[in-house]
Structures are given as structure tokens and as C-alpha cells.
Amino acid sequence: MKNTYNINDKGYYGEFGGAFIPEMLYPNVEELRQNYLKIMAESSFQEEFHQLLKDYVGRPSPLYFAKRLSEKYNTKVYLKREDLNHTGAHKVNNTIGQILMAKRLGKNRIIAETGAGQHGVATATVCALMGIECIVYMGEIDIARQAPNVARMKMLGAEVRPALSGSRTLKDATNEAIRDWINNPVDTHYIIGSAIGPHPYPDMVTRFQSIISEEIKWQLKDKEGKEDPDYVVACIGGGSNAAGTYYHFLDNENVGIIAVEAAGKGIHSGKSAATSALGKEGIIHGCKTLLMQTKDGQITEPYSISAGLDYPGVGPLHSHLYKSGRGEFYSATDDEAMTAGLELCQLEGIIPAIETSHALAIFEHKTFQPDDIVVISLSGRGDKDLQNYIDYFKL
Amino acid sequence: MNRINQKLKEDKKLLSIYFTAGYPEIDDTVSIIQKLELSGVVDMIEIGLPFSDPLADGPTIQASSTAALKNGMTTEKLFKQLKDIRPFVRIPLIIMGYFNPVLQYGVEAFCKKCQEIGIDGLIIPDLPVDVYDEHYKATFEKYGLINVFLITPQTSDRRIRYIDSISTGFIYMVSSASTTGAQSGFGSTQTDYFERIANMNLKNPQIVGFGISNNDTFTQATRYAKGAIIGSAFIKHLTNNGANSIDDFVSRILNL
């Protein structure tokens, strides 16, 4: 297989990636870089990882043929049901992998950042499972608007620390987690929740999430007699569910890669999180990638109705897919996403997370052929968003 | 010869002061530099170029950066403020900032501007040594700029040797595993570390930063190192007093 779109041995996807970190983080990140592939290749690691994915997470997640949605858009739509995972989203695939990694590195304290709280809950969950101390940084504003997930994390035994700096949202929670790691360089592992951060994080997270496309291949073979769909579609904030959904198709150009970002109130409204359209190459949280910034290089505040897509950067893999033209990038507004989410409820009886609803809005932007096989990553369930849906639709 | 190298040759312990440009007021930058120079005892100044997401900084410098940006500080504005600073100020001037604003300005354009103004060096914590060495070293050198690298208690001896081999001025020795402003006093962990580094006989002198806030910590740090850098403690002074009584502050540090 060609290896054009995957990471190179220096930690870059094309021109994006790398590890732009202060020296204080170097020993931690270097320890991880030197060990992550080796540890992941150990048979005992693979065994434990897959056992937990099966018995604890409930994998494989179904690949469901969405009959009524397919009829409506006159194409063949499959939904990869990551929403049925334990904790309600794809996030847990990565936290299971990283907690096993942390244990093998001899770490006894876990830190994480979270925006909407999904990654925080998934991290608190695996820490409870392993009996390891867990501290989750969350923006003060997000703590206020995501109360149920804050309560979940607390019930799971995690300490939730408010990020009080900057805009007090996901970007600042990430800054605080990085500062914690600087202050605790020996015993602590930082579980980053998306395919972002300094190398090797984007690659490590992508590999843990790649179980999604691994399963799609054999599941589709069962159902359609072929492994490759015509398109894989995912929403992108930092881009971990997308990275996992694309991974095994990256170098197979017969499979179209489609990304849907959050346009918020509209790309040019000043309230958007459509990073590929609005971003410029720069450095955020330790990697070179596309990010939303002023012309002076100050990182700006994104906006989306979905807290999980409300991030000013995008993973370096996705910047490369965008810049190289390998991926087709679209963006869905708040309104388009909410409408698509409600449509899924009523056509298929599935309430999606608002993040996921952005991927479902692809049908507003692209028409597929009747015999196209389109696999959409149904990255999370909508329970956490009920209040948002209630407010939006005045239910 | 670069002013930094000249200064490092002097037979004394060096006091370097960091402050955030455009703080507390947007137009304080130049007057703070002049007052530090006029004190007669400050040996070097680090001018902080504020950044929206300063990962290596604790709450004090974060807050000053946020305030400076709110005051309207930009890279262009800083260069304008510093345009005529030489020859009124003769001590070495270093710009300290994060890599993204430098990258957006254009690394070469940034370096060129620094040379025009009379900036002697740069400290960019999130520009890693290997990336600098491969991509930017030639540009920095072309414009006569010294790039200063950090080491920490966790940095391996081998990496310290590598950093020493790339460095041409001094090594910024981070006192402990922390962001800026986190310490209150040094214990045996720090002094053991200071001693370990001193015994390595590096070709570049070391200047200690992070956690220097008073005469006590300054004296402890400079027992082993060539000098020490004060940042957060000075920012706190500016927060409380504005750009006044800077003489008092530095006198207290040196116990004069």
C-alpha cells in the first residue's frame, strides 16, 4: 500500500504535525514517542485492548443500513454506530487505549481536557476501571453549560478543575492540562481526546480510533460483498472520529473522504468553527496545522452550537487531507445540523449528538449516486444534547 | 560582538528582568525599558511579546498577556514602540514570545526587524531545538540574533550537551518542573540540580529563570549560575504600582 497520507517518520502529515513544545514537555513527549508503537505492538497490549473493546465498550459497533434515510436521499447510507459504545461516543476507543499505554509507562496520575464533557467522561470512566487518579480540566463556561457531564465525571471519581484563563472553553482547558503536565512531568500521563497535540498524539489517537474503519471493512464485506465504500463521511472538530473512520481508506483513492466542519452561524458570520475554510497554517497546542487566528498570530475563539466541534484548530492529518485535496471538506451551519439531527430521529429512530448531526447534514451539500455506498460515522448519541434540542426546537 | 556575549563576559552575577510588552498600559513598554536601564543594576531585559495561549506561563504572566492584547498590543506595534530605543538603552534586549506570532510575521522578516531595532536575542519556548537547527538557525545568524534555549531538571545530560552545542549565548535554566511564577523558594532538589549543571562545565553560561522572586532566591540561583531572570514577581510589581518605583523593586532584589 502507498503511504502518502499517513504520518511520516518525523511525525508529519505532509507539512503538518511535528512537536512544537516547550522544553519542559520534551521528556514526557519523547518518552511517549519512543514507546508508543512498541507498546501498541505487544501482544499482551493488543489482547487487553481488544478484550476491553469487546466486553466493556461493546464492540464491534453495528454498521447499520439506514433504509429510510437511503430512500429519502436516493443512495445507500450506512451508519457506523459509535453512539452505541459505552459512554455514548467514539471517545472511549481512545481512552481505553491510552489508559493501557499509561499503565505500561508506569504512570499513576491521569489528566485530560474536555469541552462538552464526552472525552472527560470517557477518561473518568477508564480511570475508575483501572483505579487511577483522574483530573479533568474543563473551561468554566463549559462547566456551567454541561452540568450533567460534570456530574457524571464526579460520580466516576474524577476531579473536575475549572479552566479560568482566556475564553474559559476547550482551548483554555487544553492549555491548563498542558500546564499541569509541565508541573507534573514524572508520574502523569496526559490523555488528549482528539487527533491533535504534539507528535505522537495525533498518530496514537488515530491508531486507537482506527478500529472504526477496521470494522467498517469487514462489516461492509459481509453486507455488500466488498470492503470499500464509495464514501466515508465524518464530522470534524479536532477530528478523532474522522481520523478513525478514514484511517484504513486513506491510501485507497477509490474511497472518497468527506469531512463536515461546523459553520456555526455561517462561515463568514464571525461565529464559526470551520477551520479549513477560515484557518491558516500555524502552531496550536504543540502542532503545526490549520487554525483560526488573527493576522498577528493570536488564536481566535471559534463558535458552534456543538461544544465538541468548538475548537479553533483541526488535527494535522485533516489539514493534510484538505491541503492535498484528498479530502472533500464541507461545513454545516447550526441550523442545517439541527435539522439533519431531527430528521435522523424521525426517519431512523436514532437521536444523534449535535456533533454527529453535522455529518448528517452532508446531504444538504452533496448529491450521491443511487448505487453509491456512503458510510457515515454516527460518532455519538444525543442524550447529552437534549437540553440544546429542547431549546432549539422549543420542544 | 553581540551585546549578550559582551555582557556575559563581565565579572559579576547578572540580573535579567522580564516584562510583558504593552502592560500595564499599552505605552508603558519604552518607559519600563528606560527605567530598568537607568536603575544601573539591571543587566538584561526580556521583552515579552504577548500571546493568546502562553502554554509555559503561570497565571501572572498569562493575565499580563491577556491584558496587553486587550490594550491593543501587536507584533507590528511592538516594533514601532522599540524603533528608536537604541542608543538610549545600552544593555542587551531579548524578545521572548511564542512561535506562532513569529511564524505569522514571517521568521525572516521578524529577525530582520529585530536587527534593525537592535534586539540581541530571542527566546521562543515552543520552537524546539531540532526544528531551529534544521530550519531557522541560518536566518537567526544572518541577522546577528542569539537564540536562547531552555533546559529543565528533567532534561537529560545528553540533551543538555546537544543544546549547549547549538547555543551561542547562554542557556536558560528553568529552576524546576513548573510554569512561570509557581515557586516560593528553592529546596535541595533545586540546589542539587543547579550544582549538577554547574559541574557539567558547559561552554555556555547558565542563567536561571522561573521561581526567582526576591533577594533570597536570586542569591541562591546565582551561587551556581551566571545570573537569574525575574518575570512574574516584576509583573506583580507592575500590576500593583504601574510603571513606577522600578528602582525600589530591583534594589530589593539585589539587597542594595
Side-chain angles (χ1 to χ4, degrees), chain B residues 158-207:
Chain B
R158 196 171 147 212
R159 188 163 169 85
I160 292 172
R161 296 271 176 219
Y162 169 56
I163 288 170
D164 191 39
S165 74
I166 305 285
S167 300
T168 55
F170 62 92
I171 289 175
Y172 191 130
M173 201 167 135
V174 176
S175 68
S176 58
S178 72
T179 47
T180 53
Q183 284 286 316
S184 52
F186 293 135
S188 60
T189 320
Q190 274 86 38
T191 48
D192 289 354
Y193 157 64
F194 296 162
E195 205 171 336
R196 175 167 73 85
I197 303 302
N199 289 336
M200 285 182 78
N201 293 314
L202 302 175
K203 81 175 165 75
N204 293 276
Q206 303 95 53
I207 298 191

Side-chain angles (χ1 to χ4, degrees), chain A residues 23 175 179 280 293 298, chain B residues 52-54 57 100 104 159:
Chain A
E23 190 61 32
N175 291 339
R179 289 180 186 121
K280 190 169 171 280
Q293 53 184 317
Q298 309 294 342
Chain B
S52 54
D53 295 77
D57 286 302
N100 198 48
Q104 300 311 321
R159 188 163 169 85

Side-chain angles (χ1 to χ4, degrees), chain B residues 30 34 79-89 117:
Chain B
V30 169
Q34 284 174 334
F79 285 144
K80 270 197 192 118
Q81 290 179 341
L82 297 179
K83 186 166 61 78
D84 301 317
I85 199 90
R86 304 285 187 196
F88 303 103
V89 174
I117 290 166

Side-chain angles (χ1 to χ4, degrees), chain A residues 367-386:
Chain A
T367 306
F368 297 94
Q369 297 303 309
D371 59 349
D372 280 345
I373 297 173
V374 181
V375 175
I376 300 177
S377 170
L378 206 78
S379 55
R381 70 176 84 128
D383 307 32
K384 69 176 178 67
D385 293 317
L386 218 50

Side-chain angles (χ1 to χ4, degrees), chain B residues 64-254:
Chain B
S64 69
S65 302
T66 307
L69 291 173
K70 210 174 254 174
N71 288 344
M73 184 47 77
T74 65
T75 312
E76 197 65 60
K77 181 119 198 161
L78 177 61
F79 285 144
K80 270 197 192 118
Q81 290 179 341
L82 297 179
K83 186 166 61 78
D84 301 317
I85 199 90
R86 304 285 187 196
F88 303 103
V89 174
R90 283 173 299 174
I91 58 177
L93 296 175
I94 294 174
I95 291 184
M96 182 165 186
Y98 289 81
F99 192 38
N100 198 48
V102 178
L103 198 61
Q104 300 311 321
Y105 195 88
V107 175
E108 173 137 23
F110 193 95
C111 290
K112 187 162 181 275
K113 203 80 191 174
C114 285
Q115 188 187 45
E116 282 167 23
I117 290 166
I119 299 294
D120 305 290
L122 295 174
I123 305 175
I124 307 172
D126 59 343
L127 173 58
V129 192
D130 55 330
V131 177
Y132 169 77
D133 198 20
E134 194 179 331
H135 298 287
Y136 302 115
K137 188 164 177 272
T139 308
F140 277 51
E141 284 174 356
K142 179 175 167 194
Y143 295 102
L145 292 169
I146 286 176
N147 194 28
V148 177
F149 297 104
L150 278 55
I151 62 170
T152 81
Q154 271 70 41
T155 311
S156 68
D157 283 6
R158 196 171 147 212
R159 188 163 169 85
I160 292 172
R161 296 271 176 219
Y162 169 56
I163 288 170
D164 191 39
S165 74
I166 305 285
S167 300
T168 55
F170 62 92
I171 289 175
Y172 191 130
M173 201 167 135
V174 176
S175 68
S176 58
S178 72
T179 47
T180 53
Q183 284 286 316
S184 52
F186 293 135
S188 60
T189 320
Q190 274 86 38
T191 48
D192 289 354
Y193 157 64
F194 296 162
E195 205 171 336
R196 175 167 73 85
I197 303 302
N199 289 336
M200 285 182 78
N201 293 314
L202 302 175
K203 81 175 165 75
N204 293 276
Q206 303 95 53
I207 298 191
V208 179
F210 290 41
I212 318 288
S213 58
N214 50 29
N215 179 257
D216 196 34
T217 40
F218 180 82
T219 309
Q220 269 182 292
T222 51
R223 228 169 76 204
Y224 304 91
K226 178 68 183 167
I229 303 161
I230 297 185
S232 297
F234 183 61
I235 301 281
K236 279 181 193 154
H237 175 84
L238 293 175
T239 305
N240 295 330
N241 305 284
N244 298 312
S245 53
I246 285 176
D247 264 350
D248 294 351
F249 178 84
V250 294
S251 301
R252 271 205 306 283
I253 297 297
L254 297 173

Side-chain angles (χ1 to χ4, degrees), chain A residues 10-30:
Chain A
K10 285 187 149 179
Y12 284 83
Y13 300 90
E15 63 193 280
F16 301 106
F20 293 81
I21 47 170
E23 190 61 32
M24 293 81 105
L25 286 176
Y26 180 83
N28 284 336
V29 173
E30 181 63 9

Side-chain angles (χ1 to χ4, degrees), chain A residues 65-379:
Chain A
F65 177 65
K67 186 161 172 289
R68 296 186 67 209
L69 193 65
S70 297
E71 278 166 7
K72 170 146 192 200
Y73 291 104
N74 195 25
T75 190
K76 293 170 89 170
V77 183
Y78 282 89
L79 301 176
K80 181 59 174 161
R81 298 292 308 274
E82 294 300 301
D83 61 316
L84 295 177
N85 292 339
H86 179 43
T87 72
H90 69 287
K91 291 287 187 191
V92 73
N93 302 328
N94 170 47
T95 59
I96 294 266
Q98 284 205 48
I99 197 81
L100 296 178
M101 181 71 62
K103 268 177 57 176
R104 279 162 177 77
L105 291 170
K107 308 291 177 177
N108 55 27
R109 181 174 176 272
I110 295 294
I111 54 171
E113 84 295 339
T114 198
Q118 289 306 101
H119 173 59
V121 169
T123 303
T125 298
V126 297
C127 287
L129 183 68
M130 298 295 167
I132 295 182
E133 182 187 359
C134 178
I135 291 143
V136 179
Y137 288 89
M138 188 169 185
E140 195 183 29
I141 288 179
D142 289 335
I143 287 179
R145 62 183 178 187
Q146 304 288 338
N149 272 342
V150 175
R152 283 185 187 104
M153 286 184 269
K154 287 182 178 167
M155 287 184 73
L156 292 161
E159 183 194 339
V160 181
R161 287 194 191 160
L164 305 172
S165 60
S167 59
R168 293 169 291 148
T169 57
L170 176 58
K171 165 173 88 76
D172 311 285
T174 308
N175 291 339
E176 288 306 324
I178 291 174
R179 289 180 186 121
D180 181 306
W181 211 20
I182 288 174
N183 282 285
N184 296 282
V186 180
D187 64 339
T188 299
H189 176 70
Y190 177 18
I191 300 190
I192 295 183
S194 195
I196 56 161
H199 176 64
Y201 275 102
D203 186 46
M204 180 171 67
V205 174
T206 298
R207 285 170 189 264
F208 287 138
Q209 292 293 359
S210 71
I211 185 75
I212 300 173
S213 47
E214 190 184 314
E215 288 174 3
I216 291 173
K217 282 177 88 96
W218 64 258
Q219 288 171 319
L220 205 58
K221 176 95 178 160
D222 270 1
K223 291 176 198 298
E224 294 281 343
K226 60 176 205 171
E227 288 189 338
D228 300 333
D230 295 291
Y231 296 96
V232 281
V233 182
C235 64
I236 291 194
S240 68
N241 98 83
T245 305
Y246 305 157
Y247 185 79
H248 288 283
F249 305 114
L250 284 173
D251 290 305
N252 178 353
E253 306 226 11
N254 295 322
V255 180
I257 285 175
I258 296 179
V260 186
E261 294 181 310
K265 304 279 189 198
I267 288 183
H268 300 295
S269 65
K271 287 177 99 44
S272 176
T275 306
S276 68
L278 298 168
K280 190 169 171 280
E281 183 181 320
I283 311 285
I284 183 171
H285 297 140
C287 79
K288 185 182 274 189
T289 193
L290 295 172
L291 65 123
M292 293 166 57
Q293 53 184 317
T294 65
K295 73 171 187 1
D296 217 34
Q298 309 294 342
I299 300 172
T300 55
E301 276 313 309
Y303 162 81
S304 165
I305 192 168
S306 145
L309 303 182
D310 201 353
Y311 184 71
V314 63
L317 164 64
H318 302 303
S319 291
H320 183 45
L321 294 176
Y322 175 75
K323 188 114 189 231
S324 65
R326 173 70 182 95
E328 283 177 54
F329 280 67
Y330 298 91
S331 62
T333 62
D334 289 357
D335 292 338
E336 288 167 343
M338 296 305 269
T339 306
L342 188 64
E343 181 176 82
L344 188 75
C345 300
Q346 294 175 355
L347 287 178
E348 300 290 346
I350 299 168
I351 301 176
I354 296 179
E355 289 78 13
T356 312
S357 297
H358 286 74
L360 296 164
I362 185 62
F363 298 111
E364 282 295 311
H365 296 272
K366 185 177 171 78
T367 306
F368 297 94
Q369 297 303 309
D371 59 349
D372 280 345
I373 297 173
V374 181
V375 175
I376 300 177
S377 170
L378 206 78
S379 55

